[in-house]
């Protein structure tokens, strides 16, 4: 894709005509010449208070590239009758068949009489660009054309046409403004006279001549403020007295005389009586320690205490009555002040009505006087500036003849074509990768929520997968050994104990063994999501690895539809699981021994018409219990979950389930569906095995897969060294330590 698009862009670039660009620079001047001084403002000044805004610059730049300016340049140089301006072939023009490339229109037959001014202006606009220079008041006017001389001339003419347009517009605006100002001046003079007479009549009717309206407002406002302050003080005093009265009543009603007297710290009489009462109480407490309550001195002191309390209560009642009287007095004062304030407000409102009318008349007079004065001044200034030609723009640099073309840019176009091709190719590759739903790596599988207990490299029929770095001698020697032995994938761990596949199976065995040390997994069902994903190969090789560790292992073929275990181990399949379930045979009588120590096989037996019903039966559960009594590990080879439900029926009856995933074959949807079926029936999914990994494939040259091939290379190096030391002694493989 990169080469195709890059080459196409390069060829297209070489075929493009050369274009030249000329640049003319103009400057916006915020301070044009003012012979009448800064105080006299030009009515046609387009800058005004908007000089610092972006709208002014954008508007002027748009005017430069407008159709009006372009048409003025076209008429000045008769461009609409110039065929070369439209990039037409002179021969075709003479024949009457010129082609207008810019608009895709073919001329009518006959002699070419030119185009309209509007069409020529559109062509010029398409070749014109106006670019402001950052942080300056300068603007670059650029014209692109195949003729460098014409490009320079048109750039200068666009600037000239724009400047002339500003002169014409300023002159026309000044004339219109002067005419309008004269009309407004007559109207304003009549309005000013009428407003002055109306204000004079109002003053006569309301006697505003002696005391001005402003002074009357000040008097009313002063009264309102005075009454407001007095009312606020009276209200505050009333609140204080009411609070004090409430506190006194609460103390006199609820508390004792001694406690109530504490509320009058400023009353000398109450304080004196309270002090005497306190002394008598202390004296009574002292006598009570020596005499009883009926003693003469005790009775005398008690009588005095009661008298003091009566006097204290009488004084507090007097203070309470005085506080109540103060509250009533302050309330009457507050009521009077509120009435006075209401009267002042009413007078103020009446005065406001007169003031509104007065202000309206006075404001009308002042506005008319101000407008009349302003219009008179502007009329005089406009009349003075009418004949002065000035503008806010001037040409700074004229356009020079361009010496080199700006288009086509070969290097830029070539780089863009190569970059676009590369980006499109990468996007296409990414899209194809996203559309591929097959599982390829451990990360892809674990992303679906299943733990990978191990991987199995690809086992080629009759030849074991080699490391990418293996020597030619090692490859030939292993090829000869594989051809002589005629190995099967199902017994690969047994026939090639030093291979990467064997080491991977031992890794799976180790993970299964140590996954639950306290409660080991004794019965395991191995299944897959779809057919032909290697579940039987994984079953046999994992069983061989477990048997090689010294465990008594029984492999039960529960694929009651397409059994294959008996062919893998070379045993008879006439008797097996179905024979035991129907009661014709016992487990020990049909469990066949194999060439592998500690490994036993229970074939399928006769294929039944109802496999799922047999797996649901009590006799099958009895078979599982019997197998666990006589063997250390029991492994079940079951059909794929995507085809039948046998594995989902079997999985809840055993300790765990192991799912086989074939790299570059199993899809995400198929594996997700299989895991969902197992979890829906309550099966314990301990993990999965990623099968058929090819480390030599692009993308598998590092990481986990490289580790296994590195170990295989280690074994192969050791075997090669043994062969070199003694060729007649033969291979002496040693089982690797776990």
């Amino acid at each position: 894709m990169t080469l195709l698009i890059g080459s196409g862009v390069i060829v297209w670039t070489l075929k493009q005509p050369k274009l030249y660009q000329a640049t003319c620079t103009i400057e916006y001047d915020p301070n044009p010449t003012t012979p009448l001084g800064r105080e006299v403002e030009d009515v046609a000044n387009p800058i005004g208070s908007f000089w610092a805004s972006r709208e002014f610059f954008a508007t002027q730049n748009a005017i430069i590239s407008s159709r009006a300016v372009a048409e003025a340049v076209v008429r000045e140089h008769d461009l609409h009758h110039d065929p070369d301006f439209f990039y037409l072939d002179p021969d075709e023009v003479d024949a009457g068949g010129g082609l207008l490339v810019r608009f895709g229109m073919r001329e009518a037959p006959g002699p070419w009489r030119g185009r309209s001014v509007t069409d020529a202006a559109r062509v010029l606009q398409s070749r014109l660009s106006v670019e402001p220079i950052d942080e300056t008041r300068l603007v670059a006017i650029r014209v692109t054309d195949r003729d460098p001389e014409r490009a320079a001339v048109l750039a200068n003419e666009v600037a000239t046409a724009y400047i002339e347009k500003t002169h014409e517009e300023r002159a026309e605006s000044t004339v219109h403004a002067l005419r309008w100002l004269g009309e407004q001046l007559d109207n304003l003079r009549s309005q000013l006279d009428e407003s002055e007479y109306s204000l004079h009549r109002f003053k006569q009717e309301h006697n505003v001549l002696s005391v001005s309206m402003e002074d009357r407002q000040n008097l009313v406002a002063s009264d309102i403020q005075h009454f407001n302050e007095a009312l606020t003080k009276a209200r505050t005093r009333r609140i204080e007295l009411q609070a004090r009265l409430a506190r006194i009543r609460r103390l006199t009603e609820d508390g004792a005389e001694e406690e109530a007297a504490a509320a009058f710290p400023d009353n000398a009489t109450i304080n004196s009586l309270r002090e005497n009462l306190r002394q008598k109480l202390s004296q009574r407490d002292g006598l009570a320690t020596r005499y009883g309550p009926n003693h003469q001195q005790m009775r005398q002191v008690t009588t005095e205490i009661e008298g003091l309390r009566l006097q204290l209560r009488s004084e507090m009642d007097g203070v309470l009555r005085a506080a109540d009287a103060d509250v009533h007095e302050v309330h009457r004062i507050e009521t009077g002040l509120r009435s006075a304030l209401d009267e002042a407000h009413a007078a103020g409102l009446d005065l406001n009505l007169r003031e509104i009318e007065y202000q309206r008349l006075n404001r009308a007079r002042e506005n008319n006087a101000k407008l009349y004065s302003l219009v008179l001044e502007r009329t005089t200034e406009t009349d003075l500036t009418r004949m002065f030609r000035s503008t806010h723009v001037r040409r700074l640099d004229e356009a020079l003849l361009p010496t080199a073309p700006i288009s086509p840019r070969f290097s830029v176009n070539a780089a863009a074509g190569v970059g676009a091709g590369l980006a499109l190719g990468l996007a296409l590759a990414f899209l194809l990768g996203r559309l591929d739903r097959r599982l390829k790596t451990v990360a892809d599988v674990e992303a679906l929520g299943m733990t990978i207990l191990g991987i199995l490299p690809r086992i080629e029929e009759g030849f074991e997968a080699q490391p990418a770095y293996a020597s030619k001698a090692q490859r030939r020697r292993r090829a000869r050994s594989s051809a002589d032995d005629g190995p099967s994938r199902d017994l690969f761990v047994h026939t090639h104990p030093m291979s990467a596949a064997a080491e991977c199976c031992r890794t799976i065995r180790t993970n299964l063994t140590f996954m639950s040390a306290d409660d080991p997994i004794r019965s395991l069902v191995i299944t897959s999501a779809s057919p032909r994903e290697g579940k039987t190969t994984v079953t046999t090789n994992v069983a061989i690895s477990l048997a090689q560790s010294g465990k008594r292992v029984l492999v039960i073929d529960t694929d009651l539809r397409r059994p294959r275990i008996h062919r893998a181990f070379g045993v008879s399949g006439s008797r097996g699981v179905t024979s035991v379930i129907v009661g014709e045979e016992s487990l020990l009588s049909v469990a066949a021994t194999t060439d592998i120590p500690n490994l036993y096989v229970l074939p399928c037996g006769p294929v039944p018409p109802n496999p799922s019903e047999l797996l649901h039966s009590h006799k099958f559960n009895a078979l599982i219990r019997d197998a666990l009594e006589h063997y250390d590990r029991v492994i079940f080879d079951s059909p794929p979950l995507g085809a039948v439900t046998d594995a989902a029926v079997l999985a809840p009856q055993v300790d765990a389930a192991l799912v086989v995933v074939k790299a570059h074959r199993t899809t995400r949807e198929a594996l997700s569906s299989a895991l969902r079926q197992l979890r829906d029936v309550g099966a314990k999914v301990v993990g999965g095995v990623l099968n058929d990994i090819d480390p030599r494939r692009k993308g598998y040259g590092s990481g986990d897969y490289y580790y296994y091939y590195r170990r295989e290379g280690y074994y192969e190096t050791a075997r090669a060294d043994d062969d070199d030391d003694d060729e007649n002694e033969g291979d002496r493989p040693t089982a690797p330590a776990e």
Side-chain angles (χ1 to χ4, degrees):
M1 189 68 68
T2 302
L3 293 176
L4 179 63
I5 296 181
S7 301
V9 171
I10 291 175
V11 172
W12 176 82
T13 302
L14 294 176
K15 292 183 178 180
Q16 295 300 308
K18 294 182 179 180
L19 297 178
Y20 296 86
Q21 187 178 79
T23 303
C24 176
T25 306
I26 62 174
E27 178 188 4
Y28 293 130
D29 188 5
N31 300 310
T33 303
T34 53
L36 299 177
R38 298 293 180 185
E39 293 77 11
V40 179
E41 184 178 352
D42 189 357
V43 296
N45 183 14
I47 301 174
S49 61
F50 294 96
W51 171 247
S53 64
R54 295 181 179 180
E55 288 79 1
F56 173 78
F57 293 101
T59 302
Q60 298 305 312
N61 295 338
I63 292 175
I64 295 174
S65 59
S66 65
R67 181 169 54 87
V69 174
E71 288 180 353
V73 176
V74 168
R75 292 189 181 94
E76 180 69 21
H77 292 271
D78 200 24
L79 295 177
H80 54 298
H81 293 136
D82 185 2
D84 187 49
F85 175 72
F86 294 97
Y87 299 160
L88 299 179
D89 190 346
D91 296 335
E92 294 182 358
V93 171
D94 294 339
L99 178 65
L100 186 56
V101 180
R102 178 69 61 180
F103 298 100
M105 296 182 293
R106 185 173 295 276
E107 300 295 335
W112 190 74
R113 298 182 177 84
R115 300 293 302 171
S116 65
V117 175
T118 302
D119 291 341
R122 290 176 181 173
V123 174
L124 178 59
Q125 284 180 286
S126 65
R127 304 174 188 176
L128 173 65
S129 64
V130 180
E131 301 176 4
I133 301 176
D134 295 339
E135 306 297 332
T136 66
R137 301 192 303 269
L138 304 179
V139 175
I141 301 175
R142 295 186 172 93
V143 175
T144 303
D145 199 280
R146 294 183 183 179
D147 185 356
E149 183 178 357
R150 184 169 56 209
V153 171
L154 292 180
N156 292 327
E157 286 301 322
V158 168
T160 301
Y162 168 66
I163 294 174
E164 289 298 326
K165 180 177 176 57
T166 58
H167 283 303
E168 293 175 2
E169 290 179 350
R170 287 168 61 83
E172 184 178 359
S173 299
T174 302
V175 172
H176 284 297
L178 188 60
R179 185 181 302 112
W180 181 83
L181 288 173
E183 295 174 356
Q184 296 300 318
L185 189 63
D186 296 337
N187 295 333
L188 290 174
R189 185 182 297 107
S190 300
Q191 294 177 7
L192 178 60
D193 294 341
E194 178 62 25
S195 60
E196 288 178 346
Y197 285 125
S198 297
L199 182 62
H200 178 71
R201 288 193 295 271
F202 178 83
K203 289 183 177 181
Q204 285 181 337
E205 292 175 0
H206 297 89
N207 194 22
V208 183
L209 300 177
S210 58
V211 179
S212 65
M213 188 67 67
E214 291 78 5
D215 292 340
R216 293 186 179 183
Q217 288 179 337
N218 293 335
L219 291 175
V220 174
S222 177
D223 292 341
I224 293 175
Q225 181 180 3
H226 175 72
F227 290 140
N228 233 337
E229 292 176 355
L231 181 60
T232 301
K233 292 180 180 179
R235 187 181 292 112
T236 303
R237 178 61 178 166
R238 176 178 58 79
I239 293 172
E240 292 176 353
L241 292 176
Q242 287 178 345
R244 182 170 178 270
L245 178 60
R247 183 168 59 89
I248 294 173
R249 286 178 176 174
R250 185 174 60 256
L251 291 175
T252 54
E253 292 175 358
D254 299 340
E257 288 76 3
E258 299 89 332
E259 298 176 355
F264 307 95
D266 298 333
N267 194 309
T269 303
I270 294 176
N271 288 333
S272 176
L273 291 174
R274 179 171 172 270
E275 181 64 24
N276 292 336
L277 179 59
R278 187 182 61 80
Q279 292 177 0
K280 291 299 181 181
L281 290 173
S282 299
Q283 181 180 356
R284 186 182 64 178
D285 293 339
L287 293 175
T289 57
R290 294 182 295 172
Y291 306 110
N294 297 323
H295 193 271
Q296 182 179 358
Q297 294 185 5
M298 287 291 293
R299 288 198 301 271
Q300 183 179 355
V301 171
T302 301
T303 302
E304 294 176 355
I305 289 173
E306 292 298 330
L308 289 173
R309 285 180 174 173
L310 290 175
Q311 295 179 15
L312 189 59
R313 171 64 67 178
S314 176
E315 288 294 333
M316 288 190 294
D317 290 341
V319 172
L320 182 62
R321 288 191 297 273
D324 191 19
D326 292 341
V327 169
H328 286 292
E329 182 180 358
V330 170
H331 183 72
R332 288 192 298 272
I333 294 174
E334 182 182 355
T335 302
L337 289 174
R338 187 176 293 108
S339 300
L341 182 61
D342 293 340
E343 294 176 359
H345 276 297
L349 292 175
D350 182 62
L351 185 60
N352 284 338
L353 294 176
R354 298 182 183 180
E355 181 194 9
I356 291 173
E357 181 66 18
Y358 174 80
Q359 292 293 343
R360 184 181 64 80
L361 296 174
N362 189 45
R363 185 167 52 250
R365 182 191 63 80
E366 291 178 353
N367 289 339
N368 290 332
K370 186 182 298 183
L371 288 175
Y372 179 78
S373 176
L374 176 63
V375 172
L376 180 61
E377 181 180 358
R378 294 296 292 165
T379 302
T380 304
E381 293 175 353
T382 303
D383 192 27
L384 292 175
T385 59
R386 178 169 52 87
M387 295 181 292
F388 179 71
R389 286 175 57 87
S390 65
T391 183
H392 62 278
V393 62
R394 64 185 181 89
R395 183 159 48 192
L396 182 63
D397 291 329
E398 291 188 354
L400 302 178
L401 184 68
T403 58
I406 63 167
S407 178
R409 295 183 292 179
F410 179 82
S411 58
V412 175
N413 292 352
V418 172
L422 179 60
L424 184 59
L426 291 174
L428 183 60
F430 176 77
L431 178 62
L432 293 177
R434 294 292 294 177
L435 294 176
D436 189 359
R437 304 297 295 169
R438 297 175 298 172
L439 299 170
K440 305 179 184 64
T441 63
V442 173
D444 294 341
V445 179
E446 291 183 342
L448 298 178
M450 185 177 73
T451 303
I452 292 297
L453 301 182
I455 64 174
L456 281 181
R458 174 171 296 175
I459 303 174
E460 299 178 2
E461 190 67 36
F463 185 77
E464 185 181 357
Q466 303 289 330
Y469 50 80
S471 65
K472 293 182 179 180
Q474 290 174 341
R475 292 176 181 272
R476 287 195 298 269
R477 187 160 49 251
R478 177 167 295 185
R480 290 194 299 269
S481 176
S482 300
D484 296 338
D485 296 341
S488 172
R489 291 188 181 93
D490 298 335
L491 304 180
F492 203 81
V493 174
H494 176 62
T495 58
H496 294 76
M498 298 301 174
S499 64
E503 185 61 29
C504 291
C505 287
R506 285 190 281 271
T507 300
I508 298 171
R509 178 192 67 192
T510 303
N511 289 334
L512 288 172
T513 302
F514 291 98
M515 179 170 289
S516 179
D518 297 334
D519 186 15
I521 299 173
R522 296 190 58 202
S523 57
L524 177 69
V525 59
I526 298 180
T527 184
S528 62
S530 304
R532 305 185 63 83
E533 293 184 350
K535 63 175 183 58
T536 301
T537 301
V538 174
T539 301
T540 56
N541 285 286
V542 170
I544 294 171
S545 298
L546 289 171
Q548 289 176 349
S549 66
K551 305 292 184 182
R552 286 173 53 84
V553 181
L554 175 63
V555 178
I556 301 178
D557 191 353
T558 53
D559 191 347
L560 305 182
R561 304 171 191 270
R562 298 178 61 184
R564 195 167 65 86
I565 292 294
H566 62 284
R567 293 199 300 269
F569 291 97
V571 299
S572 174
S574 60
R575 299 183 304 164
V577 175
T578 56
S579 302
V580 176
I581 293 176
V582 298
E584 296 178 355
E585 301 287 347
S586 64
L587 172 63
L588 297 180
S589 64
V590 295
T593 60
T594 64
D595 296 336
I596 303 167
N598 299 323
L599 182 60
Y600 302 86
V601 175
L602 181 59
C604 170
V607 177
N610 53 346
S612 299
E613 285 75 5
L614 291 180
L615 297 179
H616 270 298
S617 64
H618 295 288
K619 292 185 178 181
F620 183 74
N621 290 330
L623 173 61
I624 297 176
R625 291 193 299 271
D626 194 13
L628 293 175
E629 290 178 2
H630 294 88
Y631 300 95
D632 298 327
R633 298 288 188 271
V634 180
I635 300 179
F636 297 86
D637 181 30
S638 65
L641 282 164
V644 293
T645 61
D646 295 3
V649 175
L650 178 59
Q653 304 179 50
V654 298
D655 293 341
L658 185 68
V659 182
V660 177
V661 179
K662 188 172 184 179
H664 295 275
R665 182 180 179 88
T666 307
T667 63
R668 301 174 187 271
E669 291 76 15
L671 180 57
S672 298
S673 177
L675 293 176
R676 183 167 58 252
Q677 292 183 54
L678 292 174
R679 288 164 180 162
D680 288 345
V681 297
K684 177 182 179 182
V685 181
V686 294
V689 174
L690 186 59
N691 185 29
D692 201 28
I693 288 293
D694 186 2
R696 294 171 299 179
R697 188 166 182 167
K698 184 177 180 182
Y700 293 124
S702 61
D704 299 337
Y705 316 125
Y706 175 78
Y707 166 75
Y708 293 104
Y709 269 93
R710 188 163 63 91
R711 297 193 63 170
E712 181 186 6
Y714 170 76
Y715 294 134
E716 288 297 323
T717 304
R719 294 181 63 179
D721 293 341
D722 292 342
D723 292 342
D724 293 339
D725 292 341
D726 190 356
E727 295 180 357
N728 297 325
E729 188 175 353
D731 294 341
R732 293 171 297 179
T734 303
E738 294 184 13

